[in-house]
Amino acid sequence: MNFNVRFSDYPTIKPLVAGKCLIDVMNSYHFNIYPVDTSQAQVCIVHFDRGIYHVYVEGNEVGMMVRDKSEFLGFATMDEPLKPLIEEISGHLNERNLREKFAMDIRSRWNVIIEARFLNEETLMVYISPETDFDEFANCVRDTVYDYVEFDEHLNLILAHMNGEEVVDIQIN
């Protein structure tokens, strides 16, 4: 058995400090990209930790980037292999941010929402107060939800009473 571990192989594990192994909680984003001059989708994983985005394509580290509002795409990198991918990656990250913002926005706009959380990348589960007229609220959401949508990708918005069995699936985009 090989027990040789390099910390660079595990970006969430930090070296021993005072006898303790520090494990950071990172936000990870997974999506497919189409690098320049390819028609094959490749798996891209972006780990976000303390302001730095660590980018991996097909399991190989491509580089690191940081937010930079002075840059056209909002990100900057010194890593040459990452530069041709930064436009597509920034688009995916922006899309994710818009989805998260959408979940927060609808919760703040409609005070009958008790909880709004993502079940997966395409499904947002929204629980509403048991005292709310479910059909009336569902109709209201269907009629006005696109006023708050800023993202392009598909999303299943599932409405449910917190203590009930009624469920409505509203398809967005």
Side-chain angles (χ1 to χ4, degrees):
M1 246 180 181
N2 183 2
F3 287 100
N4 294 329
V5 176
R6 295 178 307 174
F7 286 105
S8 61
D9 293 339
Y10 300 93
T12 60
I13 299 177
K14 301 299 177 195
L16 292 175
V17 175
K20 295 182 180 178
C21 184
L22 302 177
I23 299 177
D24 288 338
V25 176
M26 285 187 165
N27 292 320
S28 292
Y29 305 99
H30 302 246
F31 45 84
N32 289 328
I33 63 170
Y34 294 85
V36 178
D37 298 331
T38 65
S39 58
Q40 284 293 96
Q42 294 183 355
V43 176
C44 181
I45 299 173
V46 178
H47 296 295
F48 174 73
D49 182 32
R50 296 185 201 144
I52 299 173
Y53 295 80
H54 303 269
V55 179
Y56 297 82
V57 175
E58 293 294 315
N60 299 310
E61 185 173 13
V62 178
M64 297 181 304
M65 60 188 197
V66 294
R67 280 216 176 267
D68 185 346
K69 294 184 185 212
S70 68
E71 290 290 325
F72 169 68
L73 301 168
F75 291 92
T77 185
M78 301 291 281
D79 299 313
E80 290 300 322
L82 183 55
K83 288 181 179 181
L85 305 174
I86 207 165
E87 180 175 2
E88 186 172 0
I89 292 169
S90 67
H92 282 281
L93 294 175
N94 185 48
E95 189 76 11
R96 296 288 169 99
N97 290 336
L98 290 174
R99 286 168 166 255
E100 291 170 12
K101 180 182 176 293
F102 171 75
M104 290 186 295
D105 285 351
I106 63 169
R107 190 164 183 196
S108 66
R109 282 177 176 41
W110 291 308
N111 62 1
V112 298
I113 295 176
I114 296 172
E115 182 181 3
R117 64 183 162 92
F118 284 93
L119 300 178
N120 57 44
E121 292 180 10
E122 290 190 358
T123 307
L124 177 62
M125 188 74 188
V126 175
Y127 292 100
I128 64 172
S129 168
E131 295 82 32
T132 304
D133 181 315
F134 186 80
D135 293 329
E136 183 178 325
F137 183 70
N139 288 333
C140 174
V141 171
R142 276 189 204 97
D143 292 344
T144 61
V145 72
Y146 278 98
D147 295 343
Y148 312 112
V149 173
E150 297 177 32
F151 52 88
D152 295 322
E153 293 180 6
H154 175 76
L155 179 71
N156 299 319
L157 176 64
I158 300 177
L159 299 178
H161 256 139
M162 188 56 123
N163 299 329
E165 298 197 14
E166 292 179 282
V167 174
V168 169
D169 185 355
I170 300 173
Q171 303 291 308
I172 298 175
N173 294 340

